[in-house]
Amino acid sequence: MQDMVKVAVDAMGGDNAPFEIVKGAVEAVNSRKDIKVFLVGKEASIREEIRKYTFDAGQIEIIPAKEVISTEEPPVMAIRGKKESSIVIGMNLVKNKAADAFVSAGSSGAILVGGQLIVGRIKGVERPPLAPLIPTKNGVSLLVDCGANVDARPSHLLQFAKMGSIYMENVVGIKKPRVAIVNIGAEEEKGNLLVKETFPLLKNCQDINFIGSIEAREIPNGGADVIVCEAFVGNVILKLYEGLGSTLIGKIKEGMMSSLRSKIGALLVKPALKATLKTFDASQYGGAPLLGLNGLVVKTHGNAKANEIKNSIIQCVTFKEQQINEKIRQNIILKDE
Amino acid sequence: MQDMVKVAVDAMGGDNAPFEIVKGAVEAVNSRKDIKVFLVGKEASIREEIRKYTFDAGQIEIIPAKEVISTEEPPVMAIRGKKESSIVIGMNLVKNKAADAFVSAGSSGAILVGGQLIVGRIKGVERPPLAPLIPTKNGVSLLVDCGANVDARPSHLLQFAKMGSIYMENVVGIKKPRVAIVNIGAEEEKGNLLVKETFPLLKNCQDINFIGSIEAREIPNGGADVIVCEAFVGNVILKLYEGLGSTLIGKIKEGMMSSLRSKIGALLVKPALKATLKTFDASQYGGAPLLGLNGLVVKTHGNAKANEIKNSIIQCVTFKEQQINEKIRQNIILKDE
């Protein structure tokens, strides 16, 4: 039991809770023996779902939580006020070292606030960024920051670059990941004030493989492994990725259904197309970690299904095995203090 | 001749100059009798291209310009130093009222700087934004600002919203266009400092149909007609649109070529797919106007082909007929002074 990675999972978070969450947790423990999941939430609802499945009873434990934080609630007030919520109880498990990680599809705001207030930052980390993997032409890139901190400063972005590099190298397995800053032109003198001030910090940092600016056009092309930007821009990139992808695919399906000829063609291309588009499906890569906390917090999509929950739980194993937080701690403290 | 719309076209700008530019100009005058084009650039090169075509000689005139501003040159220095360049000469035609509009696929920076320094702003306009139309699920939206001014202030964004509304209503023909501000959440309290300060200005403005925040996810879905944001964010949205579109379409083509079965299917779906994807092709809608200048300046894509040049020239006719600048002048001066 000692070597197990213990993951607290918010059974009440997201659009498909508790059904898909419980299903994903079961799939995770059935795929790996070294995972223990704490399902946090309303006991009766979880029990009703969980009895549908077969699994090693030692690998899943229910932790009752009476309250649920909804996405409409102001985050700070919700975290402070709802001590019995699945998010607060799950995060306290991480804080008290009863769990290594917390996975939730619930309120982004509450998860970001709870991460800072309950789990706490690694000493020296100024702001913990939300860092999702986004699909590219031939792989994935890490987008950091993506919603945790608006109006960031250059020193924050430098830390995002360092933490992002450690994550990509150790969790995703990209050696010397290429780091770039999102900009509106490739030249060094371009950009807004924040980018202009951050650029030299990144350029002079010895710990990262900085390749300069990246224009948004090159992101889907895989132009960099770690894409640094402030949260507002990162959030726009992430959401537009999702929106444009689904609109385009919808258009294509519509086009294929427009005539008998194309309908027959659609039947023939369907399997190949499905496989191709699967590589562009963000849920394949699990949720987004909040980097720089004293423990791991992973935010999945609000509409996450079992597969994304399962992948997010499994992702926690690599995060622990690779000692990401120890590496961040060493990198940030040794270099900056 | 009095009723003709006179458009100066930069024959030397963009990746495909002068070939595609001249071709686009010829197609424009051949499609409408009320357009006169001044092709500005190196006379010998233009003559060599233009003799390939048949057109009414009264509709195209060559204006010699010895110099060319490249995309690598620092914009302010280029505009000030290269008085004989196609951009400076073309813009002077607009300034001196010899032309109603100037269309260029050349250096964005030089076009933006030249627009302000040579053509000049309408009195009361603080900053002239670049406002491209972007394709959405069922139509187009205007993205304003998209690269002209980084680090904008709330009062600038309010003017962008007003000018964008006038453009969408009168050029694109959308009655009471829905105006939204790009934000990272739908709630009023969300956003960075700029958005929070701009939101009440938009909300209290009687001249526009403000519908609140728009998340980037909803942009491709056609969630608003006029999408207001500062230039850095707008540029990221525009470039990501282009990059993600072409990456996804490339992936789909690759998927379709992966087996014999899917290759046959691809042949059958091709015509329907082509028609569908055409509606998502930004070049259909011509270039992006710089709003709020004493004359019209249109920036097309650097890789614009004849069709985009042609559409951009034709767009100038509607702009003039609808007296957009008079409407902007009235709206900005009467309301703000």
Side-chain angles (χ1 to χ4, degrees):
Chain A
M1 288 298 256
Q2 267 179 322
D3 292 312
M4 273 195 164
V5 175
K6 288 164 280 174
V7 182
V9 175
D10 178 4
M12 314 317 288
D15 309 336
N16 307 310
F19 172 68
E20 295 282 344
I21 314 293
V22 171
K23 187 164 177 247
V26 171
E27 287 176 8
V29 301
N30 282 345
S31 75
R32 295 186 65 139
K33 288 289 126 202
D34 56 352
I35 297 177
K36 164 127 193 193
V37 169
F38 298 106
L39 278 172
V40 189
K42 295 187 174 170
E43 197 170 354
S45 316
I46 298 174
R47 289 216 181 280
E48 201 183 313
E49 287 302 324
I50 212 162
R51 66 198 171 102
K52 299 175 185 166
Y53 306 102
T54 314
F55 55 91
D56 178 344
Q59 283 189 272
I60 296 188
E61 191 178 328
I62 299 174
I63 306 284
K66 287 178 215 154
E67 293 173 299
V68 176
I69 294 177
S70 79
T71 50
E72 289 79 33
E73 292 176 72
V76 177
M77 222 197 293
I79 289 293
R80 294 220 165 108
K82 289 190 164 173
K83 299 290 181 207
E84 298 295 315
S85 65
S86 53
I87 291 180
V88 172
I89 289 179
M91 287 195 169
N92 271 316
L93 289 173
V94 177
K95 185 194 176 184
N96 302 327
K97 309 289 176 206
D100 300 296
F102 176 61
V103 172
S104 176
S107 158
S108 302
I111 292 164
L112 301 175
V113 169
Q116 298 215 41
L117 294 185
I118 301 171
V119 179
R121 285 172 286 152
I122 291 174
K123 199 187 160 208
V125 170
E126 296 177 58
R127 288 188 178 190
L130 187 67
L133 287 169
I134 54 172
T136 63
K137 201 171 151 197
N138 302 310
V140 285
S141 300
L142 193 77
L143 186 64
V144 51
D145 178 19
C146 211
N149 319 282
V150 290
D151 300 311
R153 288 198 300 268
S155 62
H156 303 152
L157 267 63
L158 176 62
Q159 290 196 340
F160 297 168
K162 290 181 181 184
M163 293 191 279
S165 289
I166 292 169
Y167 188 88
M168 276 311 268
E169 178 137 8
N170 297 285
V171 175
V172 184
I174 310 261
K175 290 286 154 223
K176 282 186 148 280
R178 296 161 300 152
V179 177
I181 186 164
V182 176
N183 205 349
I184 56 172
E187 303 84 5
E188 191 168 341
E189 70 274 10
K190 288 234 178 152
N192 57 13
L193 209 59
L194 177 66
V195 170
K196 283 181 188 165
E197 287 179 9
T198 308
F199 201 98
L201 299 184
L202 295 172
K203 202 176 170 185
N204 295 326
C205 178
Q206 302 298 316
D207 305 331
I208 58 169
N209 174 21
F210 182 57
I211 60 166
S213 292
I214 187 167
E215 284 198 88
R217 185 190 287 120
E218 290 305 311
I219 295 174
N221 217 4
D225 303 307
V226 177
I227 294 160
V228 177
C229 56
E230 59 90 23
F232 193 95
V233 170
N235 195 285
V236 164
I237 292 172
L238 184 70
K239 302 261 171 81
L240 190 56
Y241 237 84
E242 295 170 6
L244 197 54
S246 75
T247 299
L248 263 176
I249 290 163
K251 274 262 177 208
I252 287 164
K253 282 183 184 162
E254 196 186 296
M256 285 182 178
M257 290 298 121
S258 63
S259 72
L260 182 61
R261 173 186 162 144
S262 63
K263 275 183 193 165
I264 297 167
L267 282 174
L268 295 170
V269 297
K270 205 178 163 189
L273 217 53
K274 221 173 161 177
T276 307
L277 292 177
K278 203 174 172 182
T279 64
F280 237 83
D281 174 7
S283 71
Q284 289 299 311
Y285 308 104
L290 255 172
L291 297 175
L293 295 179
N294 282 316
L296 176 60
V297 172
V298 175
K299 161 80 182 95
T300 73
H301 289 89
N303 61 2
K305 297 235 166 122
N307 192 46
E308 183 174 346
I309 300 300
K310 173 193 164 193
N311 288 332
S312 298
I313 294 170
I314 291 172
Q315 180 187 3
C316 298
V317 180
T318 321
F319 198 92
K320 192 192 177 189
E321 280 176 357
Q322 293 293 328
Q323 303 187 296
I324 302 305
N325 278 353
E326 286 65 28
K327 284 169 183 153
I328 289 176
R329 196 170 283 122
Q330 279 170 22
N331 188 292
I332 300 285
I333 294 185
L334 292 181
K335 307 284 175 175
D336 292 352
E337 287 205 349
Chain B
M1 285 299 256
Q2 267 179 322
D3 291 309
M4 274 195 160
V5 176
K6 288 163 281 175
V7 183
V9 175
D10 178 5
M12 314 316 287
D15 309 337
N16 307 311
F19 174 69
E20 295 282 347
I21 314 293
V22 172
K23 188 164 178 249
V26 171
E27 287 176 7
V29 299
N30 281 345
S31 76
R32 294 186 65 140
K33 289 289 127 202
D34 56 352
I35 298 178
K36 163 128 193 192
V37 169
F38 299 106
L39 279 172
V40 188
K42 295 188 174 170
E43 197 171 353
S45 316
I46 299 173
R47 290 220 180 277
E48 202 182 315
E49 288 301 325
I50 211 162
R51 64 199 173 104
K52 299 175 186 166
Y53 306 102
T54 313
F55 56 91
D56 177 344
Q59 282 190 271
I60 296 191
E61 189 178 328
I62 299 176
I63 307 284
K66 290 177 213 153
E67 294 174 298
V68 175
I69 295 176
S70 79
T71 50
E72 289 78 33
E73 292 176 72
V76 178
M77 223 196 293
I79 289 293
R80 295 222 165 107
K82 289 190 165 172
K83 300 289 180 207
E84 297 297 314
S85 64
S86 53
I87 291 180
V88 172
I89 289 179
M91 286 194 169
N92 272 316
L93 289 173
V94 177
K95 185 193 176 186
N96 302 328
K97 310 288 176 204
D100 300 297
F102 176 61
V103 172
S104 177
S107 158
S108 302
I111 293 164
L112 300 176
V113 169
Q116 298 215 41
L117 294 187
I118 301 171
V119 179
R121 285 171 287 152
I122 291 173
K123 198 186 162 208
V125 170
E126 297 178 58
R127 289 188 178 191
L130 188 67
L133 287 169
I134 54 172
T136 63
K137 201 172 152 197
N138 302 311
V140 285
S141 300
L142 193 78
L143 187 62
V144 52
D145 176 23
C146 210
N149 319 282
V150 290
D151 300 312
R153 290 199 299 272
S155 62
H156 302 152
L157 267 65
L158 175 61
Q159 289 195 340
F160 297 170
K162 288 182 183 184
M163 292 191 279
S165 290
I166 292 170
Y167 188 88
M168 277 309 268
E169 177 137 7
N170 296 286
V171 176
V172 185
I174 309 263
K175 291 286 153 222
K176 283 185 146 281
R178 295 161 302 153
V179 177
I181 186 165
V182 176
N183 204 350
I184 56 173
E187 304 83 5
E188 190 167 342
E189 71 273 12
K190 288 233 177 151
N192 56 15
L193 210 57
L194 177 66
V195 171
K196 282 180 189 165
E197 286 178 11
T198 307
F199 200 99
L201 299 185
L202 295 172
K203 203 176 169 184
N204 295 326
C205 178
Q206 302 299 317
D207 306 331
I208 58 169
N209 174 20
F210 183 57
I211 60 165
S213 293
I214 186 167
E215 284 199 89
R217 185 190 287 122
E218 289 306 311
I219 296 174
N221 219 3
D225 303 307
V226 177
I227 295 160
V228 176
C229 56
E230 60 91 24
F232 194 94
V233 170
N235 195 286
V236 164
I237 292 172
L238 184 70
K239 302 262 171 81
L240 190 57
Y241 236 85
E242 294 170 7
L244 197 54
S246 75
T247 299
L248 263 176
I249 289 163
K251 275 262 177 207
I252 287 165
K253 282 183 183 160
E254 196 186 296
M256 285 182 178
M257 290 298 121
S258 63
S259 72
L260 181 62
R261 172 184 163 146
S262 62
K263 275 182 194 166
I264 296 168
L267 282 176
L268 295 171
V269 297
K270 204 176 164 190
L273 217 52
K274 223 173 159 178
T276 307
L277 292 177
K278 204 174 171 183
T279 64
F280 237 82
D281 174 6
S283 71
Q284 290 299 310
Y285 308 104
L290 256 171
L291 297 175
L293 295 179
N294 282 317
L296 176 60
V297 172
V298 175
K299 162 82 182 92
T300 73
H301 290 89
N303 61 2
K305 298 236 167 117
N307 191 47
E308 184 174 347
I309 300 298
K310 173 193 163 192
N311 288 333
S312 298
I313 295 170
I314 290 172
Q315 183 187 1
C316 299
V317 179
T318 321
F319 198 92
K320 192 191 176 190
E321 281 177 353
Q322 293 293 327
Q323 304 187 295
I324 301 305
N325 277 353
E326 285 65 29
K327 283 170 182 152
I328 289 176
R329 195 171 285 124
Q330 279 171 21
N331 188 292
I332 300 284
I333 295 186
L334 292 181
K335 307 286 177 175
D336 291 353
E337 284 204 351

